[in-house]
Amino acid sequence: MNHRNRLELRKFVAPEFVCGQGALDLAGRYAHNLGMRHLLLVTDPGVRAVGWAEAVGESLTEAGVSFTIYDSVSPNPRAGEVMAGAEVYWSEGCNGIVAVGGGSPMDCAKGIGIVSVSGRDILSFEGVDRVPLPPPPLICVPTTAGTSADISQFAIIGDEEGRRKVAIISKALVPDVSLLDPEPLTTMPRDLTVDSGIDALTHAIEAYVSNASSPITDLHALESIRLTSKAMPAVLENPDDLNLRFSTLLASLHAGLAFSNASVGAVHAMAHALGGVYDLAHGRCNALLLEYVIEANYEAASIRYDRIGAILGQGQDEWMSPAGVVAAFRRSLGISGTLSTLGVTRDMIPALAERAYVDPCLATNPRDLSREEIEEIYERAL
Ligand SMILES: [Fe+2]
């Protein structure tokens, strides 16, 4: 499907965002200007330990805004954590939310926001455009560069009972403000830097080949891929370099602007299934699936995949297919192994394919995939 109709109607939503060194210090001013009197600061124990929740707290206190910290958030945020957070939101009389952390606290914060105004179970909002009431104001301070939850209209919440991840997609989930500061990224360990960087790359690639892409999202997707190809290898050598960290943050921002509006595809549908069943790191699942999904999708968007391959593989001596370029790139970042290395077993493939097949992210994959074809991709990635 290389021919796309550029005249087809498309909309584009994005939050207000401030990017640069010191953006984090603006949290208090923005909270005050948004009318927050007492807010829920959603974070996780890891982010608290390295001091970023405290730094945001200082900014809030300076601006005269009080807060309650909620940090019972696990790496793949669960429905129960969202509902417990909403209870704290109500009992503490909050009228706004600040999220500090990676995708998990930010997605959890988005969930708490929509539950706080409706009182309904978070899982009842599953799907596209199913949030009827606007949530309270939300400020995001990302401490990773990849999830783009601070930009996007997506929240991914774990349904523990069903062992699946639920995608909630709505304009109501676009934060009011995102404060993009490179400094918090310097405390990310190497694995998290790599996994979140690959997540951003996957967002950009899937948005670029998405059948809901547009000239506006293409612009952001391509710039994101360009930035990632240059900055990711360099930042692993120089993790304290703020300019390089900022480039990865920009890559994530561009990817977020692209995928929030063009959506993603089969890699995400399949990674969500893996995350739901095995509770694995999202970025790592993407990394191990991406090249196989590109192979399966290639004929449906060959010109676009070739362009991705040309950007990401710039400087390589010999020609490689786009899937080969992506595989070489992830290996150059130190990601080796396969899905079985992560503990995935063949007998679970039908159940994984079943979950991926009904994931809303599959709707924008450049070609229709059957359950059997999804199973085959898992097989190849095993
Ligand atoms: Fe993602």
Side-chain angles (χ1 to χ4, degrees):
M1 201 192 68
N2 284 319
H3 177 75
R4 287 160 197 252
N5 181 2
R6 298 168 72 242
L7 302 181
E8 215 173 299
L9 287 173
R10 291 283 187 261
K11 73 170 177 176
F12 191 90
V13 295
E16 176 177 355
F17 54 83
V18 182
C19 41
Q21 196 172 5
L24 178 151
D25 301 326
L26 300 176
R29 191 193 302 177
Y30 269 99
H32 179 265
N33 290 349
L34 285 165
M36 297 187 197
R37 295 181 309 276
H38 185 81
L39 61 83
L40 191 69
L41 196 162
V42 182
T43 185
D44 66 30
V47 172
R48 270 190 101 167
V50 286
W52 301 117
E54 193 181 22
V56 170
E58 277 169 24
S59 165
L60 296 171
T61 303
E62 273 171 32
V65 181
S66 58
F67 59 91
T68 299
I69 293 183
Y70 179 70
D71 71 351
S72 303
V73 183
S74 52
N76 285 311
R78 294 156 190 178
E81 294 163 352
V82 172
M83 299 312 287
E87 293 288 346
V88 177
Y89 185 94
W90 289 319
S91 65
E92 294 289 314
C94 299
N95 74 333
I97 302 176
V98 171
V100 185
S104 305
M106 291 194 282
D107 280 353
C108 189
K110 289 177 171 188
I112 293 169
I114 56 178
V115 169
S116 76
V117 288
S118 71
R120 280 167 43 193
D121 188 317
I122 183 63
L123 299 176
S124 70
F125 298 100
E126 179 178 10
V128 181
D129 288 335
R130 299 195 53 210
V131 181
L133 298 170
L138 170 65
I139 300 171
C140 287
V141 183
T143 60
T144 64
T147 168
S148 304
D150 53 297
I151 299 296
S152 80
Q153 48 183 332
F154 286 59
I156 308 297
I157 305 295
D159 167 9
E160 296 149 278
E161 252 173 61
R163 291 179 77 197
R164 65 196 187 108
K165 280 187 162 188
V166 165
I168 303 170
I169 306 164
S170 166
K171 186 179 166 184
L173 294 185
V174 177
D176 291 81
V177 183
S178 177
L179 301 174
L180 295 144
D181 192 323
E183 220 159 318
L185 307 185
T186 57
T187 52
M188 270 197 290
R190 184 188 170 98
D191 272 5
L192 188 54
T193 301
V194 171
D195 286 349
S196 49
I198 288 281
D199 192 22
L201 179 66
T202 310
H203 293 152
I205 291 176
E206 294 215 286
Y208 187 57
V209 300
S210 159
N211 57 25
S213 65
S214 72
I216 305 295
T217 57
D218 288 350
L219 199 65
H220 291 289
L222 292 174
E223 178 61 3
S224 178
I225 296 165
R226 191 191 68 79
L227 283 164
T228 294
S229 71
K230 297 270 180 282
M232 272 305 292
V235 86
L236 295 177
E237 299 296 318
N238 303 284
D240 294 325
D241 185 317
L242 273 189
N243 272 303
L244 289 173
R245 288 288 189 184
F246 190 57
S247 292
T248 64
L249 196 56
L250 284 177
S252 173
L253 167 63
H254 282 295
L257 292 168
F259 97 82
S260 180
N261 293 287
S263 195
V264 278
V267 181
H268 270 78
M270 295 175 68
H272 291 158
L274 285 168
V277 173
Y278 289 100
D279 201 21
L280 298 169
H282 170 66
R284 190 59 54 127
C285 294
N286 286 340
L288 297 178
L289 288 166
L290 186 53
E291 67 221 50
Y292 300 101
V293 170
I294 292 176
E295 279 173 0
N297 280 350
Y298 181 75
E299 290 303 327
S302 56
I303 293 172
R304 286 183 173 246
Y305 280 122
D306 286 346
R307 190 152 183 204
I308 291 165
I311 296 170
L312 206 55
Q314 224 169 29
Q316 274 166 354
D317 298 337
E318 53 188 270
W319 184 90
M320 277 197 272
S321 69
V325 170
V326 163
F329 186 72
R330 64 124 165 132
R331 278 191 223 104
S332 77
L333 302 181
I335 303 182
S336 54
T338 64
L339 291 184
S340 23
T341 322
L342 299 182
V344 179
T345 53
R346 181 162 277 116
D347 60 307
M348 284 306 289
I349 286 180
L352 290 165
E354 191 64 42
R355 283 165 170 78
Y357 187 72
V358 295
D359 190 290
C361 295
L362 198 63
T364 40
N365 195 60
R367 60 168 286 229
D368 289 336
L369 291 171
S370 66
R371 281 184 187 79
E372 292 70 29
E373 285 169 316
I374 295 171
E375 284 186 23
E376 281 166 26
I377 299 171
Y378 277 127
E379 286 277 352
R380 282 200 285 277
L382 204 62

